[in-house]
Amino acid sequence: MTVVGFDFGTTNSLVSVVDRDRVYDLLDEGRPVPSVVKYEGVRRVVGQAAKDELDASGLGVHGSFVKSPKTYLGDETINVDGVELSPVDVTHHVIDHVRKRALDSAINAGYLSEITEAVATIPVDMNGSRRHALRDAYARSGIRVVQFVHEPFAALYGHFRPSIGTDFVRRFDRKNILVVDWGGGTLDLTLCRLEDGRAVQLQNVGTGELGGDIFDDALRNWILTHATDGSFDVDPDRRRQLRHKCEQLKIYLSEEESATLYIRNFDPETGAPLTHQMTRGELDSIAKPLIDRAMDHVVSLLDAAHISDSQVALCLITGGMSRMPAITARFREFFGPQRVEVSRNSATLVAQGAAWIAYDRQQLELAKDIEVRLARGAYYRLLSAGTRVPFDGEELSDESLEMYCADPRDGQAKFQFCTPVRPGSGTQRSDPRDDLDTLGLHVDSRAKPFIERLLLTTKLDADGIVHVTALSGMQKARETKSLYDLQFGISLGAVKANAGVSDDPGPPPVDPPSHITGSVVIRSNIADKKDDSYVPGELLYTYNSTYFSRALNPPQIQVDERLYYEPCAICKRRANHPDCRCGSR
């Protein structure tokens, strides 16, 4: 059974397949399929035909269009011309149409008789409920999602896989690569490192507030301000029509220095057309604030990974927005022209990468340990780096851990889940961590430390989501969390590591993050063993005063805690109270 790569995109969708070490894009008459659906009563138009009707639509057209249905996944319903539709159903209509067009593609030529399994790509910020809804939409189209892959990570694999075993790949061994996947719906960034024939994600960030659709909105608003006299209100139909024309104008200005926007019968009273001559310079000026915000995301990503821009060996830009000259110019200004590469097949690279992953039967692995923070700044590893993400249908196993609450006084056991900044195993306690999420569990506030038993269960599913469930033995409370902001690794196949020592010294030593004045940090109060050193000093003293005997040499931090929180024996005021002078008397 052939597994394809399926890129269900916000703006366009595409299926790619690999046969005999060659990748083929199953295009619809030479183009990806637009992710557009038109509903008109019982009639449904999908893909290029729907986009053509959107292009030619005049005013007062019956029926409704849904563009970018992926952005609605996770919502309950979509209101389409007064009718409530399920986002899963709308997404299914697009996916099923893309499947049929791929099978009918001239490039397919009967190679595929059916598409039943796929490696599907997703944005890096797609949460668990949206992934589940997307998997359901694929299933309704008769397609089993073998595994999900982040879109920029698939693009990285698709970029390097055809050059396996060449000097091009070896040149980037032990070096950092930033992949910028800038499409119509999202801006996705992933910082990766190639090492010993593997690609490993270091940091990810994604946003739906800077996709190409947002540029179209900004351009439309600018034209409404500068090209109309404000003598009439622009109704929703005209705004939708103008926005669609702005998308075409933006694409045209990527190749030409100037272009004309024209919409006939735009004025509802006079029937006058809307005409505006725009230059690329004007478009660049409108886009500049959005590009500035995108570069802020790049800087934040590098800062989170403790990597400077000079340590990025390659910035690979792909996606529909990569064709915009102002964007590529800004990245070349930031990283230098020699380190920025714009993918020649930016519209298809993500699907090609997914197809190669399917063809190579690669299985994603966790790039970093998943940990829970214990009391006193210790960490316990829940899942190890290198743990394989199960394929769909594989049996999932639970990892259970019995724990204790070292300080139950506030009635909450606080589980803080984190992951080391540095990928791989062997991380040290002093290494900085990125927080993933926090879970609070009700416990008996009257219990002594280590009395109430806690059970923490961890499961990694086929969607690349880690599910954690905490249970309290006394209160019988139960809480769950889903951790999805994770990084993954994947083998590049037959790449051989260099025999000699690399010239690249690797990433610099990472300093622990400094304390920010005024910041508040949740104090972990769980423990993996009964150890009095985990208990706050003032609480421990109430039931084990002999612990603080000088002969036993108790830890100074617990001594300080006990003295700080213990009220004055004479005036009963708190420690360091300015009116307490009992000691001086």
Side-chain angles (χ1 to χ4, degrees), residues 469-481:
T469 302
L471 301 172
S472 59
M474 184 75 70
Q475 296 295 93
K476 304 299 181 183
R478 177 190 178 95
E479 296 291 341
T480 61
K481 281 285 185 179

Side-chain angles (χ1 to χ4, degrees), residues 2 4 15 17 26 103 108-115:
T2 301
V4 303
V15 173
V17 64
L26 305 183
L103 292 172
N108 182 30
Y111 171 68
L112 289 175
S113 60
E114 191 53 270
I115 295 176

Side-chain angles (χ1 to χ4, degrees), residues 451-473:
I451 293 297
E452 183 152 15
R453 297 171 183 173
L454 312 175
L455 180 65
L456 184 66
T457 303
T458 309
K459 178 190 294 184
L460 174 62
D461 70 9
D463 291 340
I465 306 292
V466 173
H467 303 275
V468 289
T469 302
L471 301 172
S472 59

